Amino acid sequence: MTSSTARGVGVFSLVCFLLIASASARPQLGDILGSLVETFVENAIKTTEITILDNYCLLSRSPYLKKFEVHYRAELKCPGWTTIVGKGRDHTNPTNSELAAIKDFIGQALKKGLVTDEEAAQYL
C-alpha cells in the first residue's frame, strides 16, 4: 500500500468514526439543547403581579428575535385602575424592558393626571 493510499484509508476511517460517534451522541445533544431551550423559555417569558401606587398591576415580558439576537418586550397593565398600557420594547436585557414599561406607564398616567409629579418621581 502506498503512503497516499494509507493516508486516504486513515482519513476515511476517521470520518467514519466521527459519523458513528456523532450519531450516537445526538440523543444526548438533543437532550441538552432541549433542556437549555426549556430553561430559557421558563425564565424569559414571565408575568408578575406588582403594586404601583397601591394599585394591582400585571407586568409581563417575552423574548423575540431581532437580527439573530434575543430582545425583550414588556407590558404593564393595571386593570382595576386604568386602561393605560405601558410598553418597553427592543431591549436585550429583560429587566430593562420591564423598567421601560413601568416608566412608559407612569409617564402616560402623569399626562392623564392619574398621578402627581411627586408620585411619578420614584418611577421616572
Side-chain angles (χ1 to χ4, degrees), residues 51-102:
T51 303
I52 293 185
L53 301 172
D54 296 326
N55 295 289
Y56 169 81
C57 302
L58 291 171
L59 179 62
S60 60
R61 76 162 186 240
S62 60
Y64 65 97
L65 287 177
K66 180 179 180 181
K67 296 183 181 178
F68 300 105
E69 186 175 50
V70 177
H71 286 245
Y72 294 87
R73 64 175 58 100
E75 287 189 349
L76 176 66
K77 299 177 183 180
C78 301
W81 180 24
T82 180
T83 58
I84 294 172
V85 177
K87 296 182 179 185
R89 298 191 185 279
D90 205 24
H91 293 275
T92 56
N93 182 313
T95 303
N96 289 345
S97 69
E98 292 174 359
L99 292 174
I102 292 170

Side-chain angles (χ1 to χ4, degrees), residues 14-57:
L14 179 63
V15 169
C16 288
F17 172 76
L18 291 174
L19 287 173
I20 291 169
S22 68
S24 65
R26 282 191 184 140
Q28 294 169 352
L29 181 61
D31 292 343
I32 292 169
L33 289 176
S35 177
L36 287 173
V37 169
E38 182 179 335
T39 301
F40 171 76
V41 169
E42 286 175 0
N43 293 322
I45 299 172
K46 177 178 128 179
T47 300
T48 306
E49 297 176 353
I50 64 172
T51 303
I52 293 185
L53 301 172
D54 296 326
N55 295 289
Y56 169 81
C57 302

